[in-house]
């Protein structure tokens, strides 16, 4: 039988020592490699920091100079990028946002804010943007989350154009922001008139009452009517005193119905012609000469001065000549017996032949109207 050979004990010891030694050497190499990698990463970061510092050719912008109005002339856009750390921008956004940087410089600040807030600007930071908002487009603004009325108050004054303004307000309304007094004061005028009729109907009378007088001159007649209805409700408690009520309702009077105008006429408010001109002609046409007289009061003669205005001509053409003349201010024209408006030719000084022709033509038209009426 063949004997099994056992390994020499010395050989086993030598192999064990070699194995352990190899393991320790390998482990040491790996640790050294990892340490070298870590050191390399630290070195790269250090070099990057040094590079950023050395890239700034002038003076690094620190917190204590972020409100200096000379920054735009001291730093080019490239220098602003190199010399302003994101941390300083984030901490001093309000001060930097109020400085009149150039468009290229503002774009640098915008890009840096994108690095600071990769998930979008928080609303409190939007409020601090100042002039920086001028380089944000409507598409970018539509992604913001604006719900605070005070954001509109702080941001809209720096809006560069109407499209940006609309984008800001639309963002707010889409997120169920209310049209309260604060918002109404901020968007009065063309922005208010750009809102949908549905949006305007959400204005509470109590909020309109607290707001400053709103400019609705650029609104469509339908929107004027909506806003007037809200204002009429808001100030109804003063309606029994025309002297108190009229100044309150006056900014919205272009939406008044004929019944409201008659009530005002009874109060002898002496409406000035500039306000009369803003009234809805469709409603004014229904007023009698006496109601017109009472509505304008001491300003009645301004109708003659402005007789060529559309609103005056429309009223004349809806009333009989005797009623028009009853105002006693020299207005002529009106409905003929057949219901056709009488054409009035103004006198031309020094042109008797033309005047005679005008009179003859007017007579012919009247005769034709009577003839047509008799045939019918």
């Amino acid at each position: 039988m063949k004997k099994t050979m056992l390994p020499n004990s010395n050989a086993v010891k030598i192999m064990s020592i070699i194995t352990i030694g190899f393991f320790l050497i390998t482990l040491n190499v790996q640790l050294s490699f990892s340490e070298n990698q870590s050191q390399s990463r630290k070195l790269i970061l250090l070099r990057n920091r040094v590079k950023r510092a050395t890239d700034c050719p002038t003076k690094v912008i620190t917190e204590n100079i972020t409100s200096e109005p000379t920054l735009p002339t001291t730093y080019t856009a490239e220098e602003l990028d190199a010399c302003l750390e994101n941390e300083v921008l984030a901490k001093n956004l309000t001060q930097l946002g109020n400085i009149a940087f150039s468009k290229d410089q503002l774009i640098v600040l915008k890009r840096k804010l994108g690095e600071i807030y990769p998930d979008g600007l928080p609303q409190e930071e939007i409020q601090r943007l100042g002039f920086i908002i001028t380089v944000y487009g409507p598409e970018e603004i539509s992604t913001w989350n604006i719900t605070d009325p005070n954001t509109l108050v702080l941001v809209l004054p720096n809006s560069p154009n109407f499209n940006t303004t609309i984008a800001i307000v639309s963002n707010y309304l889409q997120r169920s922001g209310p049209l309260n007094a604060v918002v109404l004061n901020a968007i009065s005028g063309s922005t208010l008139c750009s809102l949908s009729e549905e949006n305007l109907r959400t204005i509470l009378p109590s909020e309109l009452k607290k707001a400053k007088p709103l400019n609705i001159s650029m609104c469509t007649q339908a929107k004027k009517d909506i806003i007037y209805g809200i204002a009429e409700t808001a100030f109804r408690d003063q309606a029994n005193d025309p002297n108190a009520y009229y100044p309150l309702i006056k900014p919205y009077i272009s939406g008044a119905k004929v019944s409201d105008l008659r009530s005002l006429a009874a109060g002898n408010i002496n409406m000035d012609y500039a306000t009369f001109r803003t009234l809805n002609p469709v409603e004014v046409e229904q007023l009698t000469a006496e109601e017109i007289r009472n509505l304008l009061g001491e300003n009645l003669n301004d109708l003659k001065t402005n007789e060529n205005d559309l609103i005056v001509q429309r009223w004349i053409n809806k009333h009989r000549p005797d009623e028009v003349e009853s105002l006693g201010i020299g207005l002529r024209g009106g409905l003929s017996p057949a219901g056709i408006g009488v054409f009035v030719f103004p006198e031309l000084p020094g042109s008797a032949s033309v005047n005679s022709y005008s009179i003859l033509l007017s007579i012919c038209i009247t005769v034709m109207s009577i003839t047509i009426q008799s045939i019918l």
Side-chain angles (χ1 to χ4, degrees):
M1 184 177 211
K2 193 173 181 181
K3 293 183 179 179
T4 303
M5 297 294 295
L6 295 173
N8 185 285
S9 60
N10 290 332
V12 172
K13 289 180 181 179
I14 291 171
M15 289 298 295
S16 298
I17 292 171
I18 292 172
T19 301
I20 293 170
F22 179 79
F23 174 79
L24 291 174
I25 291 171
T26 302
L27 181 61
N28 185 57
V29 169
Q30 289 178 335
L31 290 173
S32 297
F33 180 76
S34 298
E35 185 177 355
N36 288 338
Q37 279 190 318
S38 178
Q39 290 296 329
S40 296
R41 284 195 294 269
K42 290 179 181 178
L43 182 60
I44 291 170
L45 291 173
L46 180 60
R47 284 175 179 170
N48 286 340
R49 289 174 185 169
V50 173
K51 186 176 185 299
R52 284 199 298 269
T54 56
D55 279 348
C56 181
T58 55
K59 181 181 179 182
V60 173
I61 299 174
T62 56
E63 184 175 349
N64 61 344
I65 64 170
T66 52
S67 58
E68 288 291 331
T70 57
L71 286 177
T73 58
T74 305
Y75 298 85
T76 65
E78 293 75 16
E79 291 169 345
L80 184 66
D81 192 10
C83 300
L84 178 63
E85 292 290 334
N86 288 356
E87 293 80 3
V88 176
L89 171 60
K91 190 174 181 180
N92 301 276
L93 180 57
T94 301
Q95 296 92 308
L96 291 165
N98 287 326
I99 295 176
F101 286 109
S102 69
K103 182 177 180 180
D104 288 342
Q105 291 168 325
L106 292 173
I107 290 173
V108 168
L109 299 180
K110 172 187 169 183
R111 182 183 56 75
K112 285 179 173 289
L113 287 172
E115 295 173 355
I116 299 169
Y117 305 105
D119 296 327
L121 288 172
Q123 185 164 206
E124 56 270 21
E125 302 308 311
I126 295 172
Q127 295 179 358
R128 301 170 62 204
L129 284 176
F131 295 127
I132 306 174
I133 197 172
T134 61
V135 290
Y136 283 91
E139 298 79 12
E140 295 168 306
I141 292 171
S142 67
T143 65
W144 292 352
N145 184 33
I146 302 176
T147 57
D148 186 350
N150 292 316
T151 302
L152 299 186
V153 175
L154 293 169
V155 170
L156 287 180
N158 293 317
S159 175
N161 53 56
F162 188 66
N163 288 337
T164 300
T165 298
I166 293 301
I168 295 168
V169 176
S170 296
N171 181 297
Y172 172 80
L173 293 175
Q174 287 169 6
R175 287 159 178 77
S176 301
L179 284 172
N180 59 19
V182 173
V183 176
L184 292 175
N185 288 337
I187 66 173
S188 177
S190 57
T191 304
L192 176 68
C193 291
S194 72
L195 303 183
S196 68
E197 294 178 15
E198 290 71 23
N199 286 145
L200 293 176
R201 289 191 181 95
T202 67
I203 300 173
L204 296 176
S206 58
E207 292 298 324
L208 185 142
K209 192 173 185 178
K210 289 187 291 185
K212 298 175 184 177
L214 303 177
N215 177 8
I216 66 170
S217 61
M218 287 168 277
C219 292
T220 63
Q221 187 60 54
K223 293 179 181 180
K224 289 177 181 178
D225 293 348
I226 292 170
I227 297 173
Y228 174 83
I230 297 169
E232 191 273 334
T233 302
F235 303 117
R236 186 174 293 166
D237 58 339
Q238 301 288 328
N240 291 330
D241 182 359
N243 291 326
Y245 178 68
Y246 177 60
L248 296 173
I249 203 69
K250 183 178 177 180
Y252 316 104
I253 200 71
S254 54
K257 301 299 182 186
V258 64
S259 56
D260 301 313
L261 296 177
R262 284 170 177 154
S263 296
L264 290 172
N268 298 314
I269 59 171
N270 294 311
M271 180 181 288
D272 60 276
Y273 184 78
T275 302
F276 178 83
R277 195 176 191 174
T278 68
L279 299 177
N280 185 351
V282 174
E283 305 299 328
V284 172
E285 287 172 358
Q286 303 175 57
L287 294 174
T288 66
E290 187 63 23
E291 289 165 344
I292 288 285
R293 182 191 303 279
N294 292 336
L295 186 65
L296 293 174
E298 61 188 24
N299 301 308
L300 182 63
N301 285 328
D302 290 338
L303 283 184
K304 175 61 178 175
T305 305
N306 299 278
E307 63 180 316
N308 293 323
D309 281 0
L310 179 63
I311 192 168
V312 180
Q313 287 298 313
R314 286 186 60 162
W315 182 83
I316 290 174
N317 290 329
K318 286 290 184 178
H319 295 267
R320 299 186 316 274
D322 60 326
E323 185 178 7
V324 173
E325 293 172 9
S326 71
L327 289 175
I329 56 176
L331 288 179
R332 296 171 56 200
L335 291 171
S336 71
I340 299 176
V342 175
F343 293 86
V344 177
F345 296 88
E347 293 185 2
L348 302 176
S351 181
S353 60
V354 174
N355 289 338
S356 300
Y357 176 78
S358 299
I359 294 171
L360 180 61
L361 182 60
S362 182
I363 294 172
C364 289
I365 292 173
T366 303
V367 171
M368 288 174 62
S369 299
I370 296 172
T371 302
I372 292 172
Q373 185 180 30
S374 62
I375 292 172
L376 295 176

